[in-house]
Amino acid sequence: MDHAEFNDAVTALREGVYAGLPIVQAPGSDDGDVQGLPAPEAAAWRIGLDWDEGDLELDFRHFVDVVDTTGVSALIVGSWGESYEDDSSKIVGLLTEHADRFPALRSLFLGAMSYEECEISWIQQSDVTPLLAAFPLLERLEVRGGEGLLFPPVRHENLRVLRFETGGLPASVVRGVGDSDLPALEYLELWLGVSNYGGDATVADLRVILSGERLPALRHLGLQDSEIQDQIAAAVASAPVVARLETLALSMGSLGDDGAEALLSGQPLTHLRRLDLHHHHLTDPMVAKVGAALAGVEVDLSGQLMPDEGWRYVAVTE
């Protein structure tokens, strides 16, 4: 799997591409003419309401009636209504109820809403693990929004990519991921966020993930958008999982000189192909030091913010 595609996953979605396929709006219950649609396997199908108008359940049932969903490999779920009030359990239930209609499904994004539709920390999520139980062949699961999100420990044989985009990821979710058995998982990305929006994970909650005990295939780890980025960097510096990684992201957070120094003082990172530190608070001398120490690694040090002057902020909160 080419991990480079996920470096700009958010940008790709905005540009109308998901899982390498063009995004096509699924026909809704009010759509009279369904002629001219692409072949089911040729698109990433988006289901979701525009500005909370309509009935997602009716639209979903219409979609599975008029499109041969047995060929659908990629599905994107946008707004399920008043997503800042109603949680995702209804759409999760619809998907699991109709799992037999999607035998080819390999990629699923739940909560793919722009900030105009719903701020990321207002999106009401629910327990998303029934999706993994219903789709044992799923390879890619991405979730936007951390409010109400649940992820009790699961076992899944085929999941290769797991991403959570949040302004605040609950510690219980972090621990649930760590305690899950995901033998095929290659790519794990967690936007940890801030405590004001429910991001209460500590370094201790990351212990099992950093050990790599249940993640034998992991090649990319992203622990991002955190207000405790220096502490995370210090923990990563001695984490057993790092030795087998190809790419590492500690970006989007409050990383400062102390965290960068701890990272450089720990285990070697020269085996990495890429280290993503963008949106950071490093001083110019530390930027130069990181670049010199990791001259053979592609290091993203873009987005330098005023270091140690006032309040450090992370990239995504509300």
Side-chain angles (χ1 to χ4, degrees):
M1 176 174 290
D2 183 5
H3 295 161
E5 69 174 287
F6 297 105
N7 294 329
D8 297 310
V10 177
T11 301
L13 203 65
R14 288 177 185 151
E15 294 176 350
V17 177
Y18 180 62
L21 296 169
I23 298 171
V24 173
Q25 182 67 37
S29 56
D30 293 334
D31 294 327
D33 185 5
V34 295
Q35 301 300 313
L37 292 174
E41 68 277 7
W45 296 88
R46 183 187 184 278
I47 57 175
L49 304 178
D50 291 327
W51 306 107
D52 300 341
E53 295 180 359
D55 186 317
L56 186 59
E57 182 172 355
L58 287 178
D59 286 351
F60 180 84
R61 294 187 185 278
H62 180 71
F63 171 49
V64 299
D65 283 342
V66 302
V67 173
D68 180 10
T69 55
T70 60
V72 171
S73 65
L75 194 61
I76 301 163
V77 180
S79 174
W80 42 81
E82 295 184 346
S83 307
Y84 51 88
E85 293 182 355
D86 300 326
D87 67 34
S88 62
S89 58
K90 187 172 184 178
I91 187 61
V92 170
L94 283 171
L95 288 167
T96 56
E97 175 190 345
H98 292 83
D100 61 331
R101 303 290 294 271
F102 294 90
L105 189 65
R106 299 295 181 270
S107 301
L108 174 60
F109 196 127
L110 181 66
M113 303 171 219
S114 67
Y115 68 87
E116 293 95 344
E117 294 175 287
C118 190
E119 297 283 2
I120 191 170
S121 291
W122 297 5
I123 299 171
Q124 300 295 308
Q125 286 289 355
S126 60
D127 186 352
V128 298
T129 55
L131 295 168
L132 295 175
F135 298 100
L137 299 181
L138 196 69
E139 296 180 356
R140 176 173 176 175
L141 176 63
E142 296 167 81
V143 178
R144 181 173 293 167
E147 182 69 23
L149 181 64
L150 299 175
F151 196 92
V154 296
R155 180 172 180 86
H156 195 282
E157 299 291 341
N158 293 296
L159 194 68
R160 301 171 68 186
V161 175
L162 181 60
R163 298 181 63 246
F164 291 103
E165 298 181 5
T166 80
L169 189 63
S172 61
V173 173
V174 175
R175 293 192 299 270
V177 172
D179 291 338
S180 293
D181 289 310
L182 303 170
L185 196 72
E186 300 175 16
Y187 190 104
L188 176 61
E189 181 176 321
L190 307 178
W191 294 13
L192 298 165
V194 300
S195 57
N196 283 347
Y197 290 101
D200 56 350
T202 66
V203 169
D205 296 311
L206 294 166
R207 182 190 64 79
V208 180
I209 292 174
L210 292 175
S211 75
E213 293 171 7
R214 292 187 168 93
L215 301 170
L218 198 68
R219 296 298 177 266
H220 172 89
L221 177 61
L223 301 174
Q224 301 163 242
D225 197 52
S226 175
E227 60 188 349
I228 58 166
Q229 206 73 57
D230 280 354
Q231 297 175 43
I232 290 172
V236 165
S238 60
V241 73
V242 172
R244 75 170 80 114
L245 298 180
E246 297 174 1
T247 53
L248 172 65
L250 301 175
S251 57
M252 302 170 60
S254 62
L255 186 70
D257 282 5
D258 289 347
E261 185 65 50
L263 201 59
L264 294 180
S265 300
Q267 62 188 302
L269 300 175
T270 51
H271 66 288
L272 294 174
R273 287 194 294 105
R274 190 172 193 272
L275 174 63
D276 181 5
L277 301 178
H278 84 270
H279 183 106
H280 61 85
H281 299 75
L282 307 188
T283 60
D284 288 339
M286 183 56 72
V287 167
K289 184 174 182 178
V290 171
L294 301 173
V297 179
E298 179 189 348
V299 183
D300 186 349
L301 286 162
S302 63
Q304 183 185 26
L305 301 166
M306 296 299 289
D308 298 325
E309 291 185 10
W311 179 52
R312 296 191 203 179
Y313 60 92
V314 307
V316 176
T317 54
E318 185 177 31

